[in-house]
Amino acid sequence: MCPAAKISFGSDYMEGAHPAILKRLADENFTQFAGYGTDTASEAARNKIRAACQAPEADVYFLVGGTQVNSTIISALLKSYQGVLAAETGHINTHESGAVEASGHRVMALPQREGKLSAQTIRAALEAYDNDAKKDHCVMPGMVYISHPTESGTLYSLAELEAISAVCRAHKVPLYVDGARMSYALASSANDVTLPDLARLCDVFYIGGTKCGALFGEAVVIPKHGLIPHFFSIIKQRGALLAKGFVAGLEFDTLFTDGLYASIGRTAVEAADRIRAALEEAGYPQAYPTHANQIFPVMTREQIQRISEEAELGHWEDLPDGRSIMRITTSWATKESSVDRLIALLKEA
Amino acid sequence: MCPAAKISFGSDYMEGAHPAILKRLADENFTQFAGYGTDTASEAARNKIRAACQAPEADVYFLVGGTQVNSTIISALLKSYQGVLAAETGHINTHESGAVEASGHRVMALPQREGKLSAQTIRAALEAYDNDAKKDHCVMPGMVYISHPTESGTLYSLAELEAISAVCRAHKVPLYVDGARMSYALASSANDVTLPDLARLCDVFYIGGTKCGALFGEAVVIPKHGLIPHFFSIIKQRGALLAKGFVAGLEFDTLFTDGLYASIGRTAVEAADRIRAALEEAGYPQAYPTHANQIFPVMTREQIQRISEEAELGHWEDLPDGRSIMRITTSWATKESSVDRLIALLKEA
Amino acid sequence: MCPAAKISFGSDYMEGAHPAILKRLADENFTQFAGYGTDTASEAARNKIRAACQAPEADVYFLVGGTQVNSTIISALLKSYQGVLAAETGHINTHESGAVEASGHRVMALPQREGKLSAQTIRAALEAYDNDAKKDHCVMPGMVYISHPTESGTLYSLAELEAISAVCRAHKVPLYVDGARMSYALASSANDVTLPDLARLCDVFYIGGTKCGALFGEAVVIPKHGLIPHFFSIIKQRGALLAKGFVAGLEFDTLFTDGLYASIGRTAVEAADRIRAALEEAGYPQAYPTHANQIFPVMTREQIQRISEEAELGHWEDLPDGRSIMRITTSWATKESSVDRLIALLKEA
Amino acid sequence: MCPAAKISFGSDYMEGAHPAILKRLADENFTQFAGYGTDTASEAARNKIRAACQAPEADVYFLVGGTQVNSTIISALLKSYQGVLAAETGHINTHESGAVEASGHRVMALPQREGKLSAQTIRAALEAYDNDAKKDHCVMPGMVYISHPTESGTLYSLAELEAISAVCRAHKVPLYVDGARMSYALASSANDVTLPDLARLCDVFYIGGTKCGALFGEAVVIPKHGLIPHFFSIIKQRGALLAKGFVAGLEFDTLFTDGLYASIGRTAVEAADRIRAALEEAGYPQAYPTHANQIFPVMTREQIQRISEEAELGHWEDLPDGRSIMRITTSWATKESSVDRLIALLKEA
């Protein structure tokens, strides 16, 4: 195997796991654990997550990946005649190969700003349904999906999240937050949304592991115990139940020991902050006002070509004027030397 | 975390991973890999599996777990009006929480013997449909599912598998083999079915990782390239696509280096052979003629109680006479000292 | 169009509609009705059905056909991880092309006697699930499906139905009765189950129209108002909502005017009684003790051949000894002269 | 039953059936027909439709209603990972309660003009998918859905349909036309699309019965024989197979005898033309340039209130300025006197 010599800022799922996790897996490698998440490691992890969320009654489940969590949660929360409200840029509406529809439900895409839905947009959609004389012939909005951080690298403020939560509760529609990159929100100085806030304001959310230092795994948190009855069987039925659930348990137990999850995103966000400053200084426009580990600079073809010789960036979207929005992603594993090199490249290009 | 002091023969998914896999993950931990299985490690693993199966054109995919593989493959192979023929003891018919039905298809359970379907039983079912005047109102059998080793710990002989394959091909019905415990078949002296045999006789099969030394992961092999078009999107849609596909790639690349997969089951089968001999000597009846890593002794309540004080066994089925069929499972991680202790317990009880 | 000169006892859906229905449709042909069952005719029909069932609060909906009703009701009542208990001879398990599975649920087939499930069989299945240590990995029985009359032409006694209902209620599992041929049960002297009994003992049942004198249509009765929220949208989503719902409304309003539905089956049952007596007299064995409009005589090939020259019978099942179980079905439209002719044929053959 | 004394232009499914159909049903009421559409009347109707479409090899099936046809055809044509391209105003995207998604597929809504998709819009959507580097993570457009006449009362020209068909064929994507109101297109002087054109240019289309003079029923035409294998079982599985298929057969046999279907829409279109002229003369704006049996005048609240005292119109959409788009629908059953009265009301209001 010969990995590319190039440094890559292509995504935040390119490296293995935080060394503390690998060490933990090695230490416990021959311990015998019970199956399917009924083990002691998973229980310890669940308790630490409950504590971190100040949600002592919460149901916590460990699943493998984001699309799986999204489609499992959404199909578990919705009635057959309901759909899920989401930003048109939301992951479930763009890059999940129709997983939500495959489980029988419409993704009801709404206009967004910087990757975010506003409380007003959601309220308008809920009221439009309520006031539609033909609503029984329409898809009923049955829940709201948002991402924090969003797919555009932006963050909801606590005030925005509270407003959305209030609209959802007024309309008795559950609020679900996709936290695939949660650690990078928590590590951002611009963020004022804590895990206890999420537990207080959402009906279900998940704390990302795959992109945040685990080999794989996402922790689903359902603050109100019993909200989804028989969720174990639902997970099993959807092929999302790990026989060796203890592996995810050991990972999350490690992530929630000594505040690792709260700190693991710092390297990434500091790296991203440095890159943002360099982009600004070098005069690159940015498509969205990002504050976590994703950055969306606008670049000319020449710039892209030059930089790509030495560093891999993500390609996001072509603009009509020939330029492109690119995506630079940092992670818990990003090295300072790689950032230095990228910044040098940006300045030169 | 305080793991049970008791030794456990409860299942083959209680320990972590083969040390060579852990070492490999640690060695490559900061290598940057591409996402979604498009990485170099996955490609290397695919090539080694193709070689081991003597199937150079095969499509190979890495998924996470057994139920997920089963429901993804089955729904990808069947038309909407078709069902899957399976032994009534088959995993998809018993312990997958209705995952096949959730994807829209009937599990058409057939009578079995020692966990195995016979070619005759399959042919009879296919002909019964063909000859039914009302067949257009019935579920059409659209594929055959078998497990090797079976859920009852037994093995298909090559002759049996060839007969089944011949029936399937005569009726143009794909044959799918669930190989969750494949390494334990390959390590059994009673087994005469090789990976190249499976590649030659089946349309799809999977080589189990979760129960055979990996942290997680199953390798789906489709000998005929392109049999399932757009399978990548199907996997994604079903929430079965790993963002960090390279982790599974590294695991299977390790398992298929230096013949590890072929040998990894030996410890388990040798342990099981010793236990089988001890059971026979001590006069315990066995429910099925097992040859791989599962054993199904019939025990009295008193025997179960005494043994369970020191060793955990699986409970399989209660018999009308008050006795129970228990399940003893060994794995690649089973220690000789544990086997010694279990044998002593069996003799005393 | 040249209809067969042969008389046919092949099924009870071979003729159009009771003349009173045709007259009603013609009389109201240019009346303008509101759409989707919100019309005055449907409302009148619903009220008459509520009265006939002594269920003033009942929700009543008109759908088109039996398979549609079954799969719509079953998928509306079940959670994703649940299946439906049914006799292995139940229509949903045999001749609905997998419609229940297509909606995501297992048909959990149980042993039957003369087409009927017993309360004991149901209780045993429910308790087996409750007592299964691995039940979270299994399909949960979520409702019970029975037919009255059954697919074997037999009838549940009121005592049997009460026992089944009691088991269902003790286990909080809804009971659903498929009444595709309900008018023929109501017209049978052997029947002691009334519509008010059904409304009292079941959670959902349907009163068949297609086989009982309507051009098409089945009346779904849900005795407890609101049991299935948003059922209108569910019906629409499943393609089962009639734009011209008033046609079904006019049909059922006619069937429930002046006791037509209670009497419409009499011709059929009297005809069937005469045929049963003739069969007995002529020494034909009967496969099941039928009391409504279906009869299952056992015939030799020669008998079948001779009779089939002049009368069409249904073919049910071949017996190992070369004989066959045939099905003779009468209907509201069966003519006395046809019965005379069939009886003569039976005697001669 | 006391039908509203008001005249109604609320929809085209308010009256029963063309008298010729009622007469035919009465004439054949006691003829015995085979079940499930295998009867002689259905076969005769199929042959007449094949002739009218100049498609002698076509598969023709009779289903009950529009949503049912749409979701059955769409799910039969699409692979699991595909969606259907449709105008955002298309019926499947607005008023079918998520029936397409319930069968597992996304409705991929595209911008429209006057209810119509253009070949360019479709091509752009297909090319956008083809050129998307992440397309394997996206829903693949797998077919195109259009309506003729559209939900906005407009008509595709033959040139437009040919352009769309050419794009679909170039991309190997089937084209499906929802013809719920087909008779009103055929009767419009502005229409130049014939049934043979549809058979030549589409892969599947349906000829509406429910809104075009039948009690119920839609004729699905698949010009290329065998395009959808086992479609009978698919129909059955979706609860869309009529036991008394002969009723639909008799209806369509009548509609396609002596050119009835070609002429049945004339009354409606002539009435609509008179109303359109009156609206223009009276100065009402119209939202879309309609040419069949639907008209969408823009009215003030006062106008709506006055007219609604004597005539029922459909309500389509509220405009920001307080006015509303209303819908006036005529049908085969619209009386000249009702049109006179409506025109008088329009002039006064």
Side-chain angles (χ1 to χ4, degrees), chain B:
Chain B
M1 208 122 353
C2 162
K6 267 199 239 181
I7 52 171
S8 178
F9 291 85
S11 80
D12 37 18
Y13 39 85
M14 305 190 77
E15 290 95 353
H18 190 280
I21 288 177
L22 285 192
K23 182 175 181 311
R24 183 73 182 281
L25 291 177
D27 287 350
E28 304 268 20
N29 196 44
F30 286 96
T31 306
Q32 290 192 307
F33 289 102
Y36 304 112
T38 65
D39 61 281
T40 51
S42 295
E43 187 51 23
R46 283 192 285 267
N47 282 328
K48 286 174 184 164
I49 289 172
R50 287 179 188 118
C53 296
Q54 296 175 13
E57 305 300 325
D59 291 334
V60 181
Y61 296 89
F62 303 112
L63 277 73
V64 174
T67 298
Q68 186 186 78
V69 171
N70 289 340
S71 66
T72 301
I73 292 291
I74 289 169
S75 67
L77 284 176
L78 294 182
K79 306 292 182 192
S80 65
Y81 45 87
Q82 294 177 325
V84 51
L85 294 175
E88 60 195 357
T89 52
H91 203 253
I92 56 172
N93 194 44
T94 56
H95 290 123
E96 299 195 348
S97 297
V100 171
E101 291 85 357
S103 77
H105 302 283
R106 179 174 292 181
V107 178
M108 308 172 83
L110 295 178
Q112 47 77 41
R113 208 174 121 74
E114 298 166 358
K116 295 195 279 182
L117 283 182
S118 70
Q120 291 96 309
T121 301
I122 294 168
R123 184 188 302 115
L126 294 169
E127 289 179 354
Y129 175 82
D130 285 343
N131 297 330
D132 188 337
K134 289 187 175 180
K135 67 181 167 187
D136 288 344
H137 297 253
C138 298
V139 176
M140 178 193 289
M143 65 181 288
V144 173
Y145 165 97
I146 61 173
S147 308
H148 183 73
T150 69
E151 294 77 6
S152 305
T154 55
L155 296 172
Y156 283 90
S157 69
L158 180 57
E160 287 170 337
L161 189 64
E162 283 179 329
I164 289 173
S165 178
V167 167
C168 288
R169 292 195 173 160
H171 285 80
K172 298 191 180 166
V173 160
L175 173 61
Y176 166 54
V177 176
D178 177 336
R181 296 189 166 95
M182 187 67 78
S183 68
Y184 303 114
L186 297 183
S188 169
S189 60
N191 179 61
D192 62 353
V193 174
T194 64
L195 291 180
D197 288 331
L198 288 163
R200 181 171 53 87
L201 299 170
C202 308
D203 297 279
V204 185
F205 64 102
Y206 84 85
I207 300 172
T210 300
K211 294 172 177 167
C212 303
L215 283 176
F216 68 88
E218 324 293 329
V220 174
V221 182
I222 306 174
K224 187 181 164 189
H225 170 65
L227 179 75
I228 307 179
H230 296 278
F231 194 48
F232 182 97
S233 296
I234 293 171
I235 294 172
K236 175 80 180 181
Q237 186 182 60
R238 296 188 66 87
L241 187 68
L242 280 166
K244 290 186 179 175
F246 65 86
V247 178
L250 288 167
E251 294 193 296
F252 275 94
D253 189 56
T254 307
L255 284 170
F256 279 84
T257 296
D258 297 335
L260 178 56
Y261 196 81
S263 66
I264 199 171
R266 270 183 217 152
T267 313
V269 176
E270 284 165 13
D273 285 343
R274 285 185 59 207
I275 297 167
R276 274 186 280 263
L279 284 166
E280 208 161 319
E281 205 181 330
Y284 292 86
Q286 294 180 43
Y288 318 111
T290 61
H291 291 100
N293 72 322
Q294 299 184 92
I295 315 164
F296 296 86
V298 178
M299 297 184 167
T300 64
R301 269 185 218 179
E302 295 70 31
Q303 290 168 330
I304 295 167
Q305 203 169 359
R306 273 199 216 149
I307 295 166
S308 299
E309 283 163 21
E310 295 190 48
E312 188 188 38
L313 308 185
H315 177 271
W316 203 245
E317 192 185 327
D318 290 324
L319 298 180
D321 63 7
R323 295 181 304 165
S324 296
I325 302 177
M326 302 300 284
R327 186 179 75 160
I328 296 172
T329 311
T330 61
S331 85
W332 59 275
T334 299
K335 292 175 194 158
E336 204 167 347
S337 59
S338 303
V339 177
D340 293 341
R341 203 163 142 199
L342 177 64
I343 288 176
L345 286 166
L346 290 171
K347 286 187 179 163
E348 290 164 23

Side-chain angles (χ1 to χ4, degrees), chain C residues 6-9 275 278-279 282 284 299 302-313 328 337-349:
Chain C
K6 267 200 239 181
I7 50 171
S8 178
F9 291 86
I275 296 167
L279 285 165
Y284 292 86
M299 296 184 169
E302 294 69 32
Q303 289 169 332
I304 295 167
Q305 204 170 359
R306 272 201 217 147
I307 294 166
S308 298
E309 283 162 22
E310 294 191 50
E312 188 188 38
L313 308 186
I328 295 172
S337 60
S338 303
V339 177
D340 293 342
R341 203 161 142 201
L342 176 64
I343 289 176
L345 286 166
L346 290 170
K347 287 187 180 162
E348 289 163 24

Side-chain angles (χ1 to χ4, degrees), chain B residues 93 95 97 101 106 137, chain C residues 93 95 97 101 106 136-137:
Chain B
N93 194 44
H95 290 123
S97 297
E101 291 85 357
R106 179 174 292 181
H137 297 253
Chain C
N93 194 45
H95 290 122
S97 297
E101 290 86 357
R106 180 174 291 182
D136 288 343
H137 298 253

Side-chain angles (χ1 to χ4, degrees), chain C residues 1 8 15-17 29 32 214 244, chain D residues 8 16-17 29 32 41 95 214 244:
Chain C
M1 209 123 353
S8 178
E15 291 96 354
N29 195 44
Q32 290 192 307
K244 290 186 179 173
Chain D
S8 178
N29 195 44
Q32 290 192 308
H95 290 122
K244 290 186 179 173

